[in-house]
Amino acid sequence: MSYWRRYLPGWACWALVARNFRVWRKLWLPSLLGNFGDPLLYLLALGYGLGHFVGRIEDMPYITFIASGIVASSVMNTATFEGLYSAFTRMSVQKTYAAILATPMEVSDVLAGEMLWCALKGSISAVAIILVASFFGAITWAGVPWALLVILLSGLAFGAIALAVTAVSRSYDFFMYYFTLVVTPMFLFCGVFYPLKTLPAVGQTIAQFLPLTHAVALLRPWLTGHWPTQIPLHLAVLTAYAVVGYALAIVLLRRRLLV
């Protein structure tokens, strides 16, 4: 086996995606109901409830403003949950990874397959929110094809980071640190519910280093009928998180699974 094959995946990674899909298919209905139900509550409670007092932000109704932000945050939450809890279950509880590695598949195939599955699950959630938001007239369909590409890339980025955390976790309890210290601050301070310019200067600077900021910066314009600015920068940041997250996760997973 070549040195690079240990760290770069092959086509076998899609076998893991297919395996995860077949498992998910057994629970697809409650999963999709959750994907539709949560955004509906957010849009009703915040878009209409809070939006009644907020009015318009950046020349658009508040429900339109937050709909695109919720799409981005849903990709983060879904991909993160899949890369943490579901992946940890397959790795440590069900011993699925151990069974897979008894075949010709490599750790790189497992990791790449999990990242792709995280991106697909995040995309399913995002599409569900886009459909719900369209019923309220909060989505412009012309930019949706571009948005879907960003959604997939964002899912890869958040999934890679989550899998790196999973690789060092010894129990489900460990994930609460990641949610409290990383996911929740991004959800609150990366422009999902209000423009970043309302934050203090130091907050704006910190937010620029976080992946959700760049996902929102691309998705909000495309989902509201505008063209984003600084597209190469935003894509570069999301790509960097996906690549660095993969590189870190492959080292940690190989150390954990091949002892």
Short mmCIF file of all heavy atoms in Angstrom, two decimals, residues 71-136:
data_model
loop_
_atom_site.label_atom_id
_atom_site.label_comp_id
_atom_site.label_asym_id
_atom_site.label_seq_id
_atom_site.Cartn_x
_atom_site.Cartn_y
_atom_site.Cartn_z
N VAL A 71 -30.89 28.60 7.16
CA VAL A 71 -30.41 27.59 6.23
C VAL A 71 -28.95 27.27 6.53
O VAL A 71 -28.56 26.09 6.64
CB VAL A 71 -30.56 28.08 4.77
CG1 VAL A 71 -29.80 27.14 3.82
CG2 VAL A 71 -32.02 28.15 4.37
N ALA A 72 -28.13 28.30 6.69
CA ALA A 72 -26.70 28.10 6.97
C ALA A 72 -26.48 27.41 8.31
O ALA A 72 -25.68 26.48 8.43
CB ALA A 72 -25.97 29.44 6.93
N SER A 73 -27.20 27.87 9.34
CA SER A 73 -27.01 27.28 10.67
C SER A 73 -27.52 25.85 10.71
O SER A 73 -26.98 25.02 11.46
CB SER A 73 -27.72 28.13 11.73
OG SER A 73 -29.12 28.11 11.56
N SER A 74 -28.53 25.53 9.91
CA SER A 74 -29.04 24.17 9.89
C SER A 74 -28.02 23.22 9.28
O SER A 74 -27.87 22.08 9.75
CB SER A 74 -30.34 24.11 9.09
OG SER A 74 -30.82 22.78 9.03
N VAL A 75 -27.31 23.67 8.25
CA VAL A 75 -26.23 22.85 7.69
C VAL A 75 -25.19 22.57 8.77
O VAL A 75 -24.72 21.44 8.94
CB VAL A 75 -25.58 23.56 6.49
CG1 VAL A 75 -24.40 22.73 5.96
CG2 VAL A 75 -26.59 23.78 5.38
N MET A 76 -24.81 23.62 9.51
CA MET A 76 -23.83 23.46 10.58
C MET A 76 -24.33 22.46 11.63
O MET A 76 -23.59 21.52 12.00
CB MET A 76 -23.55 24.80 11.26
CG MET A 76 -22.62 24.71 12.46
SD MET A 76 -22.40 26.28 13.33
CE MET A 76 -24.03 26.50 14.07
N ASN A 77 -25.54 22.64 12.10
CA ASN A 77 -26.06 21.79 13.18
C ASN A 77 -26.21 20.34 12.73
O ASN A 77 -25.85 19.41 13.45
CB ASN A 77 -27.40 22.33 13.67
CG ASN A 77 -27.25 23.62 14.45
OD1 ASN A 77 -26.24 23.86 15.09
ND2 ASN A 77 -28.27 24.47 14.39
N THR A 78 -26.76 20.13 11.54
CA THR A 78 -27.00 18.77 11.05
C THR A 78 -25.69 18.04 10.78
O THR A 78 -25.50 16.89 11.18
CB THR A 78 -27.86 18.80 9.78
OG1 THR A 78 -29.09 19.48 10.05
CG2 THR A 78 -28.17 17.38 9.31
N ALA A 79 -24.76 18.71 10.07
CA ALA A 79 -23.48 18.08 9.76
C ALA A 79 -22.68 17.83 11.03
O ALA A 79 -22.01 16.79 11.17
CB ALA A 79 -22.68 18.95 8.79
N THR A 80 -22.76 18.76 11.98
CA THR A 80 -22.03 18.59 13.23
C THR A 80 -22.60 17.44 14.04
O THR A 80 -21.86 16.60 14.57
CB THR A 80 -22.10 19.89 14.06
OG1 THR A 80 -21.46 20.94 13.34
CG2 THR A 80 -21.41 19.71 15.41
N PHE A 81 -23.91 17.38 14.15
CA PHE A 81 -24.54 16.28 14.91
C PHE A 81 -24.18 14.94 14.29
O PHE A 81 -23.87 13.98 15.00
CB PHE A 81 -26.06 16.48 14.93
CG PHE A 81 -26.77 15.54 15.86
CD1 PHE A 81 -27.05 15.91 17.16
CD2 PHE A 81 -27.15 14.27 15.45
CE1 PHE A 81 -27.71 15.05 18.04
CE2 PHE A 81 -27.80 13.39 16.30
CZ PHE A 81 -28.08 13.79 17.61
N GLU A 82 -24.22 14.86 12.96
CA GLU A 82 -23.90 13.60 12.29
C GLU A 82 -22.43 13.23 12.50
O GLU A 82 -22.11 12.06 12.70
CB GLU A 82 -24.19 13.73 10.79
CG GLU A 82 -24.14 12.43 10.02
CD GLU A 82 -25.23 11.46 10.42
OE1 GLU A 82 -26.30 11.91 10.88
OE2 GLU A 82 -25.01 10.24 10.28
N GLY A 83 -21.55 14.23 12.44
CA GLY A 83 -20.13 13.96 12.60
C GLY A 83 -19.73 13.68 14.04
O GLY A 83 -18.65 13.12 14.27
N LEU A 84 -20.58 14.05 14.99
CA LEU A 84 -20.29 13.78 16.39
C LEU A 84 -21.02 12.53 16.87
O LEU A 84 -20.43 11.47 17.00
CB LEU A 84 -20.69 14.99 17.25
CG LEU A 84 -19.91 16.30 17.05
CD1 LEU A 84 -20.48 17.38 17.96
CD2 LEU A 84 -18.43 16.11 17.33
N TYR A 85 -22.29 12.67 17.14
CA TYR A 85 -23.05 11.59 17.79
C TYR A 85 -23.18 10.34 16.91
O TYR A 85 -22.94 9.21 17.37
CB TYR A 85 -24.42 12.10 18.21
CG TYR A 85 -24.36 13.10 19.33
CD1 TYR A 85 -24.34 14.47 19.07
CD2 TYR A 85 -24.30 12.69 20.66
CE1 TYR A 85 -24.26 15.39 20.10
CE2 TYR A 85 -24.23 13.60 21.70
CZ TYR A 85 -24.21 14.96 21.41
OH TYR A 85 -24.13 15.86 22.43
N SER A 86 -23.58 10.53 15.66
CA SER A 86 -23.78 9.36 14.80
C SER A 86 -22.46 8.67 14.50
O SER A 86 -22.37 7.44 14.53
CB SER A 86 -24.48 9.78 13.51
OG SER A 86 -25.75 10.32 13.78
N ALA A 87 -21.42 9.46 14.18
CA ALA A 87 -20.12 8.88 13.88
C ALA A 87 -19.53 8.18 15.11
O ALA A 87 -18.93 7.10 14.99
CB ALA A 87 -19.17 9.94 13.36
N PHE A 88 -19.68 8.79 16.28
CA PHE A 88 -19.16 8.17 17.49
C PHE A 88 -19.86 6.85 17.77
O PHE A 88 -19.23 5.88 18.21
CB PHE A 88 -19.34 9.12 18.68
CG PHE A 88 -18.73 8.60 19.96
CD1 PHE A 88 -17.38 8.79 20.23
CD2 PHE A 88 -19.50 7.93 20.89
CE1 PHE A 88 -16.82 8.30 21.40
CE2 PHE A 88 -18.95 7.45 22.07
CZ PHE A 88 -17.60 7.63 22.32
N THR A 89 -21.15 6.80 17.52
CA THR A 89 -21.90 5.55 17.71
C THR A 89 -21.37 4.46 16.79
O THR A 89 -21.16 3.31 17.21
CB THR A 89 -23.40 5.78 17.43
OG1 THR A 89 -23.91 6.75 18.35
CG2 THR A 89 -24.18 4.48 17.58
N ARG A 90 -21.13 4.82 15.52
CA ARG A 90 -20.60 3.83 14.58
C ARG A 90 -19.18 3.41 14.96
O ARG A 90 -18.80 2.25 14.76
CB ARG A 90 -20.64 4.39 13.16
CG ARG A 90 -22.04 4.52 12.58
CD ARG A 90 -22.03 4.89 11.13
NE ARG A 90 -21.76 6.30 10.90
CZ ARG A 90 -22.70 7.24 10.83
NH1 ARG A 90 -23.97 6.91 11.01
NH2 ARG A 90 -22.39 8.49 10.59
N MET A 91 -18.41 4.34 15.49
CA MET A 91 -17.02 4.05 15.80
C MET A 91 -16.85 3.27 17.10
O MET A 91 -16.16 2.24 17.12
CB MET A 91 -16.22 5.36 15.90
CG MET A 91 -14.75 5.17 16.26
SD MET A 91 -13.85 6.75 16.36
CE MET A 91 -14.65 7.49 17.80
N SER A 92 -17.49 3.72 18.18
CA SER A 92 -17.20 3.17 19.50
C SER A 92 -18.28 2.24 20.06
O SER A 92 -17.97 1.37 20.87
CB SER A 92 -16.99 4.31 20.50
OG SER A 92 -15.82 5.04 20.17
N VAL A 93 -19.53 2.43 19.66
CA VAL A 93 -20.62 1.63 20.23
C VAL A 93 -20.93 0.43 19.34
O VAL A 93 -20.90 -0.72 19.78
CB VAL A 93 -21.87 2.49 20.45
CG1 VAL A 93 -23.00 1.65 21.02
CG2 VAL A 93 -21.55 3.67 21.37
N GLN A 94 -21.21 0.69 18.08
CA GLN A 94 -21.56 -0.39 17.16
C GLN A 94 -20.33 -1.09 16.57
O GLN A 94 -20.47 -2.16 15.97
CB GLN A 94 -22.43 0.16 16.02
CG GLN A 94 -23.75 0.76 16.50
CD GLN A 94 -24.51 1.44 15.37
OE1 GLN A 94 -23.95 1.77 14.32
NE2 GLN A 94 -25.81 1.65 15.60
N LYS A 95 -19.15 -0.46 16.70
CA LYS A 95 -17.91 -1.02 16.14
C LYS A 95 -18.00 -1.21 14.62
O LYS A 95 -17.38 -2.12 14.05
CB LYS A 95 -17.58 -2.37 16.80
CG LYS A 95 -17.48 -2.32 18.32
CD LYS A 95 -16.37 -1.41 18.79
CE LYS A 95 -16.25 -1.42 20.31
NZ LYS A 95 -15.19 -0.50 20.81
N THR A 96 -18.75 -0.32 13.98
CA THR A 96 -18.90 -0.41 12.52
C THR A 96 -17.57 -0.15 11.83
O THR A 96 -17.24 -0.82 10.83
CB THR A 96 -19.95 0.61 12.05
OG1 THR A 96 -21.18 0.36 12.72
CG2 THR A 96 -20.16 0.50 10.54
N TYR A 97 -16.80 0.80 12.30
CA TYR A 97 -15.53 1.12 11.67
C TYR A 97 -14.58 -0.07 11.73
O TYR A 97 -13.85 -0.35 10.77
CB TYR A 97 -14.87 2.32 12.33
CG TYR A 97 -15.58 3.63 12.11
CD1 TYR A 97 -15.12 4.80 12.72
CD2 TYR A 97 -16.69 3.73 11.29
CE1 TYR A 97 -15.76 6.01 12.53
CE2 TYR A 97 -17.34 4.91 11.10
CZ TYR A 97 -16.88 6.07 11.72
OH TYR A 97 -17.51 7.27 11.53
N ALA A 98 -14.57 -0.77 12.84
CA ALA A 98 -13.70 -1.94 12.97
C ALA A 98 -14.06 -3.00 11.94
O ALA A 98 -13.18 -3.63 11.33
CB ALA A 98 -13.80 -2.51 14.38
N ALA A 99 -15.35 -3.19 11.71
CA ALA A 99 -15.78 -4.17 10.70
C ALA A 99 -15.39 -3.71 9.31
O ALA A 99 -14.95 -4.52 8.47
CB ALA A 99 -17.30 -4.36 10.80
N ILE A 100 -15.54 -2.41 9.04
CA ILE A 100 -15.20 -1.89 7.72
C ILE A 100 -13.71 -2.03 7.45
O ILE A 100 -13.29 -2.39 6.34
CB ILE A 100 -15.63 -0.41 7.62
CG1 ILE A 100 -17.16 -0.30 7.60
CG2 ILE A 100 -15.05 0.23 6.36
CD1 ILE A 100 -17.67 1.12 7.66
N LEU A 101 -12.89 -1.78 8.46
CA LEU A 101 -11.44 -1.83 8.28
C LEU A 101 -10.93 -3.26 8.16
O LEU A 101 -9.75 -3.46 7.86
CB LEU A 101 -10.75 -1.10 9.43
CG LEU A 101 -10.98 0.41 9.47
CD1 LEU A 101 -10.34 1.04 10.69
CD2 LEU A 101 -10.48 1.08 8.20
N ALA A 102 -11.78 -4.23 8.40
CA ALA A 102 -11.40 -5.62 8.14
C ALA A 102 -11.49 -5.95 6.66
O ALA A 102 -11.06 -7.02 6.23
CB ALA A 102 -12.31 -6.56 8.94
N THR A 103 -12.06 -5.04 5.88
CA THR A 103 -12.14 -5.16 4.42
C THR A 103 -10.98 -4.37 3.81
O THR A 103 -10.19 -3.76 4.54
CB THR A 103 -13.48 -4.59 3.91
OG1 THR A 103 -13.45 -3.15 4.01
CG2 THR A 103 -14.64 -5.13 4.74
N PRO A 104 -10.86 -4.33 2.49
CA PRO A 104 -9.77 -3.55 1.88
C PRO A 104 -9.89 -2.03 2.07
O PRO A 104 -9.00 -1.29 1.66
CB PRO A 104 -9.86 -3.93 0.39
CG PRO A 104 -10.50 -5.27 0.39
CD PRO A 104 -11.48 -5.24 1.51
N MET A 105 -10.98 -1.55 2.65
CA MET A 105 -11.13 -0.11 2.85
C MET A 105 -10.14 0.42 3.88
O MET A 105 -9.75 -0.29 4.81
CB MET A 105 -12.57 0.23 3.27
CG MET A 105 -13.58 0.07 2.17
SD MET A 105 -15.27 0.50 2.69
CE MET A 105 -15.11 2.26 3.01
N GLU A 106 -9.74 1.68 3.68
CA GLU A 106 -8.78 2.33 4.55
C GLU A 106 -9.49 3.35 5.45
O GLU A 106 -10.65 3.71 5.22
CB GLU A 106 -7.72 3.06 3.72
CG GLU A 106 -6.50 2.23 3.43
CD GLU A 106 -5.63 2.08 4.67
OE1 GLU A 106 -5.40 3.06 5.39
OE2 GLU A 106 -5.19 0.95 4.91
N VAL A 107 -8.78 3.82 6.47
CA VAL A 107 -9.33 4.86 7.35
C VAL A 107 -9.68 6.10 6.53
O VAL A 107 -10.67 6.78 6.80
CB VAL A 107 -8.31 5.21 8.46
CG1 VAL A 107 -8.83 6.38 9.30
CG2 VAL A 107 -8.05 4.00 9.34
N SER A 108 -8.88 6.42 5.53
CA SER A 108 -9.16 7.57 4.68
C SER A 108 -10.50 7.43 3.96
O SER A 108 -11.23 8.41 3.77
CB SER A 108 -8.04 7.77 3.65
OG SER A 108 -7.85 6.60 2.88
N ASP A 109 -10.84 6.21 3.55
CA ASP A 109 -12.14 5.96 2.91
C ASP A 109 -13.28 6.18 3.90
O ASP A 109 -14.32 6.77 3.56
CB ASP A 109 -12.21 4.54 2.37
CG ASP A 109 -11.16 4.26 1.31
OD1 ASP A 109 -10.90 5.15 0.49
OD2 ASP A 109 -10.59 3.15 1.32
N VAL A 110 -13.09 5.69 5.12
CA VAL A 110 -14.10 5.86 6.16
C VAL A 110 -14.32 7.34 6.45
O VAL A 110 -15.47 7.83 6.50
CB VAL A 110 -13.69 5.12 7.45
CG1 VAL A 110 -14.68 5.43 8.58
CG2 VAL A 110 -13.62 3.62 7.21
N LEU A 111 -13.23 8.08 6.62
CA LEU A 111 -13.34 9.50 6.95
C LEU A 111 -13.99 10.28 5.81
O LEU A 111 -14.90 11.09 6.04
CB LEU A 111 -11.96 10.08 7.25
CG LEU A 111 -11.90 11.58 7.52
CD1 LEU A 111 -12.79 11.96 8.70
CD2 LEU A 111 -10.46 12.03 7.77
N ALA A 112 -13.54 10.05 4.59
CA ALA A 112 -14.12 10.76 3.45
C ALA A 112 -15.60 10.42 3.29
O ALA A 112 -16.43 11.29 2.99
CB ALA A 112 -13.36 10.43 2.17
N GLY A 113 -15.95 9.14 3.49
CA GLY A 113 -17.35 8.74 3.40
C GLY A 113 -18.20 9.42 4.44
O GLY A 113 -19.32 9.87 4.16
N GLU A 114 -17.68 9.53 5.66
CA GLU A 114 -18.42 10.21 6.73
C GLU A 114 -18.58 11.70 6.41
O GLU A 114 -19.64 12.29 6.66
CB GLU A 114 -17.72 10.03 8.07
CG GLU A 114 -17.80 8.61 8.62
CD GLU A 114 -19.18 8.24 9.12
OE1 GLU A 114 -20.17 8.93 8.80
OE2 GLU A 114 -19.28 7.25 9.87
N MET A 115 -17.52 12.34 5.88
CA MET A 115 -17.62 13.75 5.52
C MET A 115 -18.68 13.96 4.44
O MET A 115 -19.48 14.90 4.51
CB MET A 115 -16.27 14.28 5.05
CG MET A 115 -15.27 14.56 6.16
SD MET A 115 -13.68 15.16 5.54
CE MET A 115 -14.19 16.65 4.64
N LEU A 116 -18.67 13.10 3.44
CA LEU A 116 -19.67 13.21 2.37
C LEU A 116 -21.09 13.00 2.92
O LEU A 116 -22.03 13.70 2.52
CB LEU A 116 -19.38 12.19 1.28
CG LEU A 116 -18.14 12.47 0.41
CD1 LEU A 116 -17.80 11.25 -0.43
CD2 LEU A 116 -18.38 13.68 -0.48
N TRP A 117 -21.23 12.06 3.83
CA TRP A 117 -22.55 11.81 4.42
C TRP A 117 -22.99 13.01 5.26
O TRP A 117 -24.16 13.39 5.24
CB TRP A 117 -22.52 10.54 5.25
CG TRP A 117 -23.83 10.22 5.90
CD1 TRP A 117 -24.10 10.11 7.23
CD2 TRP A 117 -25.08 9.97 5.23
NE1 TRP A 117 -25.42 9.80 7.44
CE2 TRP A 117 -26.04 9.71 6.23
CE3 TRP A 117 -25.46 9.93 3.90
CZ2 TRP A 117 -27.37 9.43 5.93
CZ3 TRP A 117 -26.79 9.65 3.59
CH2 TRP A 117 -27.73 9.41 4.60
N CYS A 118 -22.07 13.61 6.01
CA CYS A 118 -22.39 14.83 6.77
C CYS A 118 -22.88 15.93 5.83
O CYS A 118 -23.85 16.64 6.13
CB CYS A 118 -21.16 15.32 7.54
SG CYS A 118 -20.68 14.30 8.95
N ALA A 119 -22.19 16.08 4.69
CA ALA A 119 -22.58 17.12 3.73
C ALA A 119 -23.95 16.82 3.13
O ALA A 119 -24.78 17.74 2.95
CB ALA A 119 -21.53 17.22 2.62
N LEU A 120 -24.23 15.55 2.85
CA LEU A 120 -25.54 15.20 2.29
C LEU A 120 -26.65 15.39 3.31
O LEU A 120 -27.73 15.91 2.98
CB LEU A 120 -25.51 13.75 1.81
CG LEU A 120 -24.67 13.48 0.56
CD1 LEU A 120 -24.60 11.98 0.27
CD2 LEU A 120 -25.23 14.23 -0.64
N LYS A 121 -26.41 15.00 4.56
CA LYS A 121 -27.43 15.22 5.59
C LYS A 121 -27.67 16.71 5.80
O LYS A 121 -28.82 17.15 5.97
CB LYS A 121 -26.98 14.58 6.92
CG LYS A 121 -27.11 13.07 6.97
CD LYS A 121 -28.57 12.62 6.96
CE LYS A 121 -29.34 13.01 8.20
NZ LYS A 121 -28.90 12.35 9.42
N GLY A 122 -26.60 17.51 5.81
CA GLY A 122 -26.76 18.95 5.94
C GLY A 122 -27.54 19.53 4.78
O GLY A 122 -28.35 20.45 4.95
N SER A 123 -27.32 18.99 3.58
CA SER A 123 -28.03 19.48 2.39
C SER A 123 -29.51 19.14 2.45
O SER A 123 -30.36 19.94 2.05
CB SER A 123 -27.40 18.87 1.12
OG SER A 123 -26.05 19.24 1.01
N ILE A 124 -29.82 17.94 2.94
CA ILE A 124 -31.23 17.56 3.09
C ILE A 124 -31.94 18.53 4.03
O ILE A 124 -33.06 19.00 3.75
CB ILE A 124 -31.34 16.12 3.62
CG1 ILE A 124 -30.85 15.13 2.56
CG2 ILE A 124 -32.78 15.79 4.02
CD1 ILE A 124 -30.74 13.70 3.04
N SER A 125 -31.30 18.83 5.15
CA SER A 125 -31.87 19.77 6.10
C SER A 125 -32.04 21.16 5.50
O SER A 125 -33.07 21.82 5.67
CB SER A 125 -30.98 19.84 7.35
OG SER A 125 -31.48 20.76 8.28
N ALA A 126 -31.02 21.61 4.76
CA ALA A 126 -31.07 22.94 4.16
C ALA A 126 -32.17 23.04 3.11
O ALA A 126 -32.90 24.04 3.05
CB ALA A 126 -29.72 23.28 3.54
N VAL A 127 -32.30 22.01 2.28
CA VAL A 127 -33.34 22.02 1.25
C VAL A 127 -34.72 22.04 1.90
O VAL A 127 -35.64 22.72 1.42
CB VAL A 127 -33.19 20.80 0.32
CG1 VAL A 127 -34.42 20.64 -0.57
CG2 VAL A 127 -31.94 20.94 -0.52
N ALA A 128 -34.89 21.31 3.01
CA ALA A 128 -36.16 21.33 3.71
C ALA A 128 -36.51 22.74 4.17
O ALA A 128 -37.66 23.20 4.05
CB ALA A 128 -36.10 20.38 4.90
N ILE A 129 -35.51 23.47 4.70
CA ILE A 129 -35.76 24.83 5.17
C ILE A 129 -36.05 25.76 4.00
O ILE A 129 -36.92 26.64 4.09
CB ILE A 129 -34.55 25.33 5.98
CG1 ILE A 129 -34.37 24.48 7.22
CG2 ILE A 129 -34.72 26.79 6.37
CD1 ILE A 129 -33.15 24.83 8.03
N ILE A 130 -35.33 25.57 2.90
CA ILE A 130 -35.59 26.40 1.72
C ILE A 130 -37.02 26.21 1.24
O ILE A 130 -37.72 27.18 0.88
CB ILE A 130 -34.59 26.05 0.59
CG1 ILE A 130 -33.19 26.55 0.97
CG2 ILE A 130 -35.02 26.66 -0.74
CD1 ILE A 130 -32.09 26.09 0.02
N LEU A 131 -37.50 24.97 1.25
CA LEU A 131 -38.88 24.71 0.83
C LEU A 131 -39.88 25.36 1.78
O LEU A 131 -40.86 25.97 1.34
CB LEU A 131 -39.12 23.20 0.77
CG LEU A 131 -38.39 22.44 -0.34
CD1 LEU A 131 -38.60 20.94 -0.20
CD2 LEU A 131 -38.85 22.92 -1.72
N VAL A 132 -39.63 25.23 3.09
CA VAL A 132 -40.52 25.84 4.07
C VAL A 132 -40.51 27.36 3.91
O VAL A 132 -41.57 28.01 3.90
CB VAL A 132 -40.11 25.44 5.50
CG1 VAL A 132 -40.89 26.26 6.53
CG2 VAL A 132 -40.35 23.95 5.72
N ALA A 133 -39.32 27.94 3.80
CA ALA A 133 -39.21 29.41 3.69
C ALA A 133 -39.85 29.92 2.41
O ALA A 133 -40.37 31.05 2.38
CB ALA A 133 -37.74 29.82 3.74
N SER A 134 -39.85 29.11 1.36
CA SER A 134 -40.45 29.55 0.10
C SER A 134 -41.96 29.74 0.24
O SER A 134 -42.57 30.56 -0.45
CB SER A 134 -40.15 28.55 -1.01
OG SER A 134 -40.80 27.30 -0.77
N PHE A 135 -42.59 28.98 1.16
CA PHE A 135 -44.02 29.15 1.39
C PHE A 135 -44.33 30.53 1.97
O PHE A 135 -45.44 31.03 1.83
CB PHE A 135 -44.54 28.06 2.34
CG PHE A 135 -44.45 26.68 1.78
CD1 PHE A 135 -44.10 25.61 2.59
CD2 PHE A 135 -44.72 26.43 0.44
CE1 PHE A 135 -44.01 24.32 2.08
CE2 PHE A 135 -44.63 25.15 -0.08
CZ PHE A 135 -44.28 24.10 0.74
N PHE A 136 -43.35 31.13 2.64
CA PHE A 136 -43.52 32.47 3.22
C PHE A 136 -42.99 33.56 2.29
O PHE A 136 -42.95 34.73 2.67
CB PHE A 136 -42.78 32.55 4.56
CG PHE A 136 -43.30 31.61 5.60
CD1 PHE A 136 -42.72 30.36 5.78
CD2 PHE A 136 -44.37 31.96 6.41
CE1 PHE A 136 -43.18 29.48 6.74
CE2 PHE A 136 -44.85 31.08 7.38
CZ PHE A 136 -44.26 29.84 7.54
#
